[in-house]
Amino acid sequence: MAASIGSLLSEISGLEDPIEELQNLKTAVLAIPLNLLGETVSGLRLEGLFSLLNTNDREQTELCVVILGRILQALDPLYLAQNCRNELQGGLNHSDDSVKILAMSQVGRIAKHSEAVTEILNNQSVLKDVIHCIGVEKISVAKEAIGALSKLAHTKAGLDALFQSNLLKDLKDVMATNDVIRYRVYELVVDVSSVSPISLGYCANSGFISQLLGELTGDDILVRATAIEMVTTLAHSQHGRLYLAQQGIMDKISNMIIGAESDPFSSLYLPGLVKFFGNLAIMDSPQQVCECYPAFLQKVFEMALDQDPVMTGVALDTLGVLGSTVEGKQVLQKTGEKFQRVLKRMSQLARNAATELRVRCLEAITLLLTLPAEQQTEDLLGLMESWFGALSSQPIEMFRGFSTQPFPELHCGALRIFTAIACQPWGQKLMVATPGFVEFIVDRSTGPNKESKDAKFELVKALVNSTSTAEIFGNQHYLSLRAYMREGPYYITAVSTVTVEGAD
């Protein structure tokens, strides 16, 4: 096989119609393990194969891309940088997007390699072509270019090349193409900034970050909405959050939430503002964020009561995130009647909203009611019980009713709520006190598909693993649960039939 690869590579460039040979070569390179392929092709001339990319024949191009993708992946990045740089650069300027992506993926491998990256940093023409690929129409090509350049941010030499050389002008020139391309460059800048405080410093000194932050209050509402998403991504790193705080961005976004009430177009960017603080709360401290920026939680409550399903959906997601931690639960409880109104609204949505919103509502309720055993204090257990009771006069029956509806996602959502309360003694007592509920848990016929069976199994597992289940459920029910868990989620009871001789 190795010999045939070598001979095919040496002969193939001189053929007028190489399709058959390319198909044979494709079969050969895909059949051999990567490590052996690397040993086979290392040192062989690949120029002929690359030259076959210069064609209008689509089939020929596709075959070459598959073959080269496999061969180049088998070669060491340093070898590629030293021996295939010109060919890769030709690929970056090819008219076919698949060839661009092939070349870009290899440049990305080189950029990650501590020795190989020096080869392209010393000759920046390759990186210049990668930067210009950010501006091409095809988003998949641009994403590959952003990924390759982001890898340079892990070394000082790479950062120097991007932000302290002529490449910075190329980045800014590409950025000026249009709004879409500008935000692709911002995406690169945010990716780079997230790597470390040092890389963030390079991006800030280049002026890109301040330009992005300026977009938050621009006149174009859609641009503003996109800028908020970018800034939210920047806040995912601790050093990014620190920088944003130093620049007063948290206060600015809080003021934008307050000012949204008088903006008729606020629905286009308000969800992004709320998501920003929701992410901030879960990464830092729900109490600190809600106390420092009270407009955030107030707006979440307003959105939860809003008739706009988009606003309501974002509010539900945010409440779920906030209430997933003990600190967040306590913050919500401190709002008193405000949160009680929201719980009643969630109950209405769970029963009557459109299916997608009902599913998001059930997920939020699950997060609000989840309380792992190690966090179960008497006060918190009492809080969870009161929230569950606020949802309905008979919440167990309400959620069990979803299992009779022809929507598996609602069935699974209700089962996940039961799983959330299954390790809490008050939840177990409610289950036992509800007629037929224990039988419902171990009834395999109520799970029509894999997702439902898996969700039911998680409920059973939560009950079996709880230390209070045996006492509260009683020995007979507890043994039934253990048998269910032992048999697994997909157990089918065998039904035997007896044929009576002579029967019609």
Side-chain angles (χ1 to χ4, degrees):
M1 186 68 73
S4 66
I5 290 174
S7 61
L8 282 168
L9 279 173
S10 64
E11 298 168 5
I12 210 162
S13 59
L15 299 173
E16 289 186 14
D17 183 11
I19 296 296
E20 184 179 346
E21 285 74 11
L22 284 171
Q23 289 171 336
N24 292 335
L25 183 56
K26 174 186 170 182
T27 301
V29 299
L30 292 177
I32 188 171
L34 268 181
N35 60 332
L36 295 178
L37 180 60
E39 295 172 6
T40 301
V41 299
S42 183
L44 296 179
R45 299 180 67 85
L46 300 176
E47 298 93 324
L49 187 54
F50 274 104
S51 70
L52 293 179
L53 289 168
N54 301 318
T55 178
N56 293 321
D57 187 319
R58 182 67 189 162
E59 183 182 6
Q60 181 172 317
T61 301
E62 289 175 353
L63 283 167
C64 288
V65 166
V66 172
I67 295 164
L68 280 167
R70 179 74 173 172
I71 288 176
L72 298 179
Q73 194 67 26
L75 292 170
D76 184 76
L78 182 59
Y79 180 90
L80 292 177
Q82 292 174 338
N83 297 281
C84 301
R85 191 179 66 215
N86 292 336
E87 288 78 9
L88 292 177
Q89 191 164 4
L92 295 173
N93 292 285
H94 199 279
S95 58
D96 190 285
D97 290 330
S98 66
V99 180
K100 281 188 170 75
I101 291 173
L102 167 68
M104 208 99 60
S105 65
Q106 299 308 315
V107 172
R109 290 183 64 217
I110 291 169
K112 275 200 310 186
H113 193 280
S114 58
E115 293 179 63
V117 69
T118 306
E119 297 289 330
I120 55 173
L121 291 177
N122 291 336
N123 186 344
Q124 294 181 358
S125 59
V126 173
L127 295 179
K128 182 174 182 177
D129 288 334
V130 174
I131 288 172
H132 284 279
C133 283
I134 296 176
V136 303
E137 183 178 353
K138 190 86 168 179
I139 184 64
S140 56
V141 176
K143 288 282 188 185
E144 200 73 42
I146 290 167
L149 292 169
S150 295
K151 293 179 176 70
L152 294 174
H154 293 268
T155 65
K156 183 180 184 302
L159 290 166
D160 287 340
L162 271 181
F163 298 106
Q164 292 187 348
S165 74
N166 293 333
L167 292 179
L168 180 59
K169 181 180 182 304
D170 288 295
L171 265 178
K172 292 186 174 180
D173 288 345
V174 169
M175 191 180 198
T177 306
N178 56 45
D179 287 348
V180 172
I181 307 306
R182 184 164 82 256
Y183 273 89
R184 289 180 186 175
V185 176
Y186 283 145
E187 183 181 340
L188 168 63
V189 169
V190 170
D191 283 353
V192 170
S193 299
S194 300
V195 172
S196 69
I198 293 173
S199 60
L200 173 58
Y202 273 86
C203 294
N205 292 336
S206 70
F208 285 124
I209 303 278
S210 58
Q211 187 176 343
L212 170 60
L213 298 180
E215 307 260 22
L216 285 173
T217 50
D219 294 331
D220 189 319
I221 301 299
L222 294 178
V223 167
R224 190 185 302 180
T226 310
I228 291 164
E229 289 183 21
M230 294 287 180
V231 173
T232 300
T233 303
L234 185 58
H236 285 168
S237 65
Q238 186 175 6
H239 60 271
R241 293 195 296 279
L242 179 61
Y243 176 83
L244 291 173
Q246 291 169 344
Q247 301 301 310
I249 297 304
M250 280 69 162
D251 291 322
K252 178 180 284 190
I253 293 178
S254 179
N255 290 334
M256 288 172 70
I257 289 177
I258 296 170
E261 293 182 11
S262 58
D263 185 351
F265 300 105
S266 64
S267 61
L268 295 172
Y269 62 84
L270 188 54
L273 300 178
V274 169
K275 288 178 183 177
F276 172 83
F277 277 117
N279 279 285
L280 204 63
I282 204 66
M283 287 182 287
D284 281 343
S285 159
Q287 182 175 342
Q288 183 178 341
V289 169
C290 292
E291 287 180 355
C292 292
Y293 310 101
F296 157 61
L297 192 54
Q298 178 62 33
K299 182 56 66 176
V300 172
F301 287 165
E302 288 176 14
M303 290 167 65
L305 302 173
D306 200 300
Q307 296 304 309
D308 183 344
V310 174
M311 294 295 180
T312 306
V314 172
L316 291 172
D317 297 342
T318 306
L319 287 166
V321 167
L322 275 176
S324 64
T325 66
V326 167
E327 185 178 319
K329 295 181 199 300
Q330 293 168 334
V331 167
L332 293 172
Q333 179 64 10
K334 283 179 185 177
T335 65
E337 184 57 33
K338 291 180 180 179
F339 185 59
Q340 290 300 310
R341 284 200 299 272
V342 169
L343 283 174
K344 288 182 173 60
R345 169 69 167 158
M346 293 175 79
S347 175
Q348 294 168 357
L349 291 168
R351 294 194 304 269
N352 304 319
T355 301
E356 181 187 353
L357 202 55
R358 293 176 72 186
V359 171
R360 292 169 78 174
C361 185
L362 294 176
E363 176 61 24
I365 292 171
T366 299
L367 292 170
L368 289 170
L369 294 174
T370 297
L371 189 68
E374 62 273 13
Q375 296 174 342
Q376 291 180 10
T377 63
E378 186 177 342
D379 287 346
L380 285 171
L381 286 169
L383 179 60
M384 296 299 93
E385 184 176 7
S386 71
W387 284 5
F388 191 67
L391 293 168
S392 168
S393 59
Q394 293 183 308
I396 291 275
E397 291 289 11
M398 181 180 83
F399 292 121
R400 181 167 61 168
F402 294 163
S403 67
T404 63
Q405 300 179 13
F407 301 106
E409 59 267 45
L410 293 178
H411 186 185
C412 292
L415 287 172
R416 281 190 278 271
I417 290 175
F418 293 141
T419 303
I421 67 171
C423 63
Q424 302 177 52
W426 64 264
Q428 296 171 3
K429 290 174 183 176
L430 272 180
M431 292 177 181
V432 170
T434 303
F437 189 78
V438 179
E439 289 75 14
F440 160 76
I441 295 175
V442 294
D443 181 1
R444 294 183 180 273
S445 67
T446 60
N449 57 21
K450 181 181 183 300
E451 290 76 15
S452 298
K453 293 180 189 297
D454 288 341
K456 175 71 75 73
F457 186 73
E458 289 302 314
L459 168 57
V460 172
K461 186 164 68 172
L463 285 167
V464 171
N465 290 337
S466 171
T467 56
S468 56
T469 302
E471 179 182 350
I472 293 172
F473 271 60
N475 192 51
Q476 183 178 348
H477 287 322
Y478 182 63
L479 290 175
S480 297
L481 291 169
R482 290 196 60 173
Y484 190 113
M485 185 172 170
R486 185 173 61 251
E487 292 161 355
Y490 313 119
Y491 178 79
I492 299 174
T493 304
V495 178
S496 59
T497 59
V498 178
T499 303
V500 179
E501 187 176 351
D504 292 334

